[in-house]
Amino acid sequence: MSALRVWAPSVSRIRVRADGQDADLQAADDGWWTGPDLAPGTDYGFLLDDDETVIPDPASRRQPEGVHGPSRMYDQDAYDWRDAEWVGRDLTAAVVYELHIGTFTPGATFDAAIERLEHLARLGVTHVEVLPINAVNGIWNWGYDGVGWYAVHEPLGGPDGFKRFVDAAHGHGLAVVLDVVYNHLGPSGNYLPKFGPYLKPGRNTWGDLVNVEEPAVRRFIVDNALMWLRDFHLDALRLDAVHALQDSSPIHILAQLSGEVDDLAAELGRPLTLIAESDLNDPIMITPREQGGRGIAAQWDDDVHHALHSLLSGETQGYYCDFGSLPVLEKVFTRAFLHDGTYSTFRGHDHGAPVDRDTVRGWQFVVCLQNHDQVGNRAVGDRLPEIASPGRVRIGAVLLLTSPFTPMLWMGEEWAASTRWPFFTSHPEPELARLTGEGRVAEFAGHGWDVSQMIDPQDPAAYREAVLDWAEVDGDDHAAVLDLYRSLIRLRADEADLRDGDLRAVSLDYDEDAQWLVVHRGAFRVAVNLAATEQAVPVAAKQLVLATGPARPEADHVVLGPETAAVLRT
């Protein structure tokens, strides 16, 4: 049995309706209300003041009939876990694999995804990052429109389905990261404002601001994070767009969160990791709390993605406008950020702050060639293999997986999947569906893309197009790319120099005109020929370890075929 408890300072009366009966909740201090004990499996909802409309519990653990339906009491302790020997994983030697449960497999459930965990284990990744799974209106969605922060989206398999997935992942030696969204709520099914000031005046890119200065709302967020880590045995959380959390409190919400997560890790005896997505280019995110920072373990680094993407694809429009050259690649590989207090042409002002390479390590930056944003936020959701040559795609894999950062792959990248991943929604409300489509057209047009090719996000074909085609894996060209990724990940795991996160130890030689570069990684050299013709790259090496094309080491140079990368041992 569990007692009801809800923060609702904006109402004068709350009733709970369960089993056809209504009962009043009792007012407590500071806007909190408490109610009767309900047995697991009981469906219930709240009635506020004199309104006879039954609405869900803001902290509902299960919404079996969707975000507008009744809540259901859920027993967190009922699941029989099998991961008692799991000791966890941190990020210091990690390779992350990002996936979306609804499109990772045609089955579109946690149980269907479990069937592909063996593939990920053989690939060699260490962490599986799952896009948001909290309750959202509609059937399919990226997950960032969630409104039931404590509930697992029922069509994916509900809370027990997610626990089975985490349990199975641990059985394969894989840590699990969950993407969580605390910076806004989705446009449909958000009942929080009826209960109290969970939101505050003002908006960010995605919606109304969350009132993180209010202690009860901070508790709502922190308790949610702790729930995922404790009750669902998760190893890490990726915090979506933390730059949109506007907090003027003496202790920032992120510092409070990281402190309580560290306490929970000590209690559980295994590492628990927070990863921030931030576009601020500010190392304050990963600066320890005692030094005035947020105390987050790691953060996404878009500048590395932009440098690689622009170099490989030739795209320099929109936010890629300052990227695409070898000097830019040198800076991000040695200093993490391109914009570290320098002028950003796209933003029109100075941006970012420098990284202290004496104290910050490369593994604290999660980097990628592709991710859900960088693919899905293109007009047609086209992946890198559609806009860069096969040779350059392979070069990108070599540079990513021998970099000093924590590499992250986007599902299907490891075999150069041909399936696009466009933006898709299934909003039941016609007006919301129309506005969503119109908004995306305007956004994509602003990037200079041809929106005439864009599919309506509400068209079921947009969702179906995004589902991975696993039959591709056995195709000759796809299998060769998969072999390359497996070899690179294994090499990174075997050779400490290739995962060394000391940015001070990284250096690059390059010739912008000739389009070659050499990355120095301890006893290894990563030589790259970006040109369309064979050329000699000046690097001395004793052994050719791996190559994506023709490669012939000579006394003081290596001859590389067109668009070829090689890993050499000195």
Side-chain angles (χ1 to χ4, degrees), residues 291-316:
Q291 297 174 23
R294 308 294 186 239
I296 305 294
Q299 67 182 89
W300 276 26
D301 185 345
D302 280 347
D303 280 17
V304 175
H305 167 270
H306 295 352
L308 288 169
H309 177 93
S310 196
L311 184 70
L312 299 172
S313 69
E315 292 188 342
T316 56

Side-chain angles (χ1 to χ4, degrees), residues 491 524 543-547 567-569:
L491 185 62
F524 294 86
Q543 179 189 5
L544 176 64
V545 179
L546 178 149
V567 179
L568 306 126
R569 193 188 302 267

Side-chain angles (χ1 to χ4, degrees), residues 381-526:
D382 42 344
R383 293 170 176 261
L384 187 61
E386 195 171 339
I387 54 179
S389 67
R392 288 187 169 228
V393 170
R394 288 169 170 79
I395 287 171
V398 173
L399 289 173
L400 175 71
L401 289 164
T402 59
S403 77
F405 310 109
T406 294
M408 184 179 74
L409 315 182
W410 170 233
M411 62 177 195
E413 173 185 335
E414 72 274 21
W415 75 76
S418 67
T419 47
R420 291 177 169 181
W421 205 75
F423 182 66
F424 53 83
T425 54
S426 57
H427 296 307
E429 302 91 340
E431 182 63 13
L432 178 56
R434 181 185 65 81
L435 292 174
T436 298
E438 291 176 354
R440 297 298 280 194
V441 169
E443 177 185 348
F444 292 148
H447 283 282
W449 286 317
D450 181 5
V451 296
S452 66
Q453 302 298 313
M454 176 184 162
I455 190 169
D456 183 348
Q458 284 286 123
D459 186 338
Y463 168 76
R464 289 194 296 267
E465 183 178 353
V467 178
L468 282 177
D469 179 6
W470 285 87
E472 289 186 333
V473 177
D474 297 324
D476 290 344
D477 291 341
H478 295 291
V481 175
L482 180 57
D483 284 343
L484 173 64
Y485 270 83
R486 284 175 175 163
S487 297
L488 285 166
I489 294 172
R490 183 168 56 249
L491 185 62
R492 183 182 180 91
D494 290 344
E495 301 293 348
D497 283 352
L498 292 178
R499 61 178 188 273
D500 181 14
D502 187 350
L503 299 179
R504 300 166 301 182
V506 183
S507 63
L508 277 72
D509 302 322
Y510 57 87
D511 186 320
E512 181 83 350
D513 294 331
Q515 285 290 281
W516 61 259
L517 69 142
V518 177
V519 185
H520 296 252
R521 299 286 284 135
F524 294 86
R525 302 292 180 265
V526 180

Side-chain angles (χ1 to χ4, degrees), residues 1-56:
M1 303 287 284
S2 298
L4 296 174
R5 188 168 185 265
V6 62
W7 186 68
S10 295
V11 301
S12 58
R13 183 191 184 197
I14 303 181
R15 290 169 288 161
V16 59
R17 179 167 295 170
D19 294 329
Q21 301 292 320
D22 290 355
D24 281 299
L25 272 65
Q26 302 302 309
D29 294 336
D30 301 324
W32 286 94
W33 297 74
T34 56
D37 292 344
L38 297 179
T42 302
D43 287 349
Y44 70 100
F46 292 132
L47 299 90
L48 307 184
D49 293 323
D50 296 324
D51 193 338
E52 293 300 314
T53 304
V54 180
I55 59 178

Side-chain angles (χ1 to χ4, degrees), residues 10 55 60 91 103 122 141 149 212 221 245 247 252 260 302 307 347 386 411 417 419 426 466 489 505 540 547:
S10 295
I55 59 178
S60 168
L91 285 185
T103 52
R122 290 186 59 212
N141 191 287
W149 285 359
V212 293
I221 291 172
L245 292 170
D247 187 5
H252 195 279
E260 296 202 30
D302 280 347
R347 295 176 178 87
E386 195 171 339
M411 62 177 195
T419 47
S426 57
I489 294 172

Side-chain angles (χ1 to χ4, degrees), residues 15-333:
R15 290 169 288 161
V16 59
R17 179 167 295 170
D19 294 329
Q21 301 292 320
D22 290 355
D24 281 299
L25 272 65
Q26 302 302 309
D29 294 336
D30 301 324
W32 286 94
W33 297 74
T34 56
D37 292 344
L38 297 179
T42 302
D43 287 349
Y44 70 100
F46 292 132
L47 299 90
L48 307 184
D49 293 323
D50 296 324
D51 193 338
E52 293 300 314
T53 304
V54 180
I55 59 178
D57 182 349
S60 168
R61 267 49 172 189
R62 193 168 180 201
Q63 290 296 124
E65 297 178 28
V67 299
H68 297 293
S71 301
R72 179 170 294 173
M73 295 300 294
Y74 176 73
D75 183 358
Q76 292 282 18
D77 298 324
Y79 181 82
D80 185 16
W81 287 94
R82 298 171 298 168
D83 66 349
E85 296 183 2
W86 176 250
V87 296
R89 282 182 180 267
D90 60 22
L91 285 185
T92 53
V95 177
V96 182
Y97 188 96
E98 186 190 34
L99 62 84
H100 174 262
I101 293 292
T103 52
F104 183 54
T105 68
T109 64
F110 298 116
D111 289 331
I114 288 172
E115 298 175 8
R116 295 296 179 181
L117 290 176
E118 176 64 27
H119 166 86
L120 300 184
R122 290 186 59 212
L123 178 61
V125 300
T126 62
H127 290 65
V128 179
E129 179 176 321
V130 178
L131 265 62
I133 59 166
N134 46 294
V136 58
N137 201 18
I139 300 174
W140 53 75
N141 191 287
W142 279 17
Y144 297 90
D145 287 329
V147 290
W149 285 359
Y150 282 77
V152 177
H153 192 47
E154 203 69 21
L156 299 179
D160 280 353
F162 188 41
K163 288 180 177 179
R164 288 192 296 272
F165 176 84
V166 176
D167 215 0
H170 288 168
H172 285 281
L174 300 167
V176 182
V177 186
L178 178 63
D179 195 341
V180 290
V181 184
Y182 298 132
N183 57 65
H184 77 287
L185 290 108
S188 178
N190 173 21
Y191 292 98
L192 288 177
K194 291 180 177 293
F195 290 85
Y198 286 82
L199 306 177
K200 63 181 179 180
R203 290 181 61 84
N204 58 38
T205 304
W206 304 281
D208 295 330
L209 298 177
V210 178
N211 188 12
V212 293
E213 285 99 350
E214 166 56 55
V217 177
R218 294 166 76 91
R219 196 70 258 158
F220 189 71
I221 291 172
V222 173
D223 284 348
N224 179 260
L226 298 179
M227 178 199 73
W228 294 119
L229 296 166
R230 180 189 58 245
D231 298 333
F232 287 82
H233 291 205
L234 291 179
D235 302 282
L237 299 176
R238 181 263 191 188
L239 310 174
D240 180 66
V242 296
H243 49 271
L245 292 170
Q246 298 187 18
D247 187 5
S248 60
S249 306
I251 299 177
H252 195 279
I253 178 66
L254 294 177
Q256 178 182 344
L257 176 58
S258 69
E260 296 202 30
V261 167
D262 286 349
D263 290 343
L264 180 61
E267 175 189 331
L268 297 178
R270 59 183 174 88
L272 301 175
T273 303
L274 294 179
I275 305 167
E277 182 204 14
S278 170
D279 75 353
L280 301 177
N281 280 25
D282 192 337
I284 192 174
M285 294 296 166
I286 53 177
T287 299
R289 292 183 299 277
E290 57 269 22
Q291 297 174 23
R294 308 294 186 239
I296 305 294
Q299 67 182 89
W300 276 26
D301 185 345
D302 280 347
D303 280 17
V304 175
H305 167 270
H306 295 352
L308 288 169
H309 177 93
S310 196
L311 184 70
L312 299 172
S313 69
E315 292 188 342
T316 56
Q317 78 275 22
Y319 49 72
Y320 296 130
C321 60
D322 289 335
F323 297 86
S325 69
L326 293 178
V328 164
L329 188 70
E330 178 187 32
K331 182 170 182 182
V332 300
F333 263 44

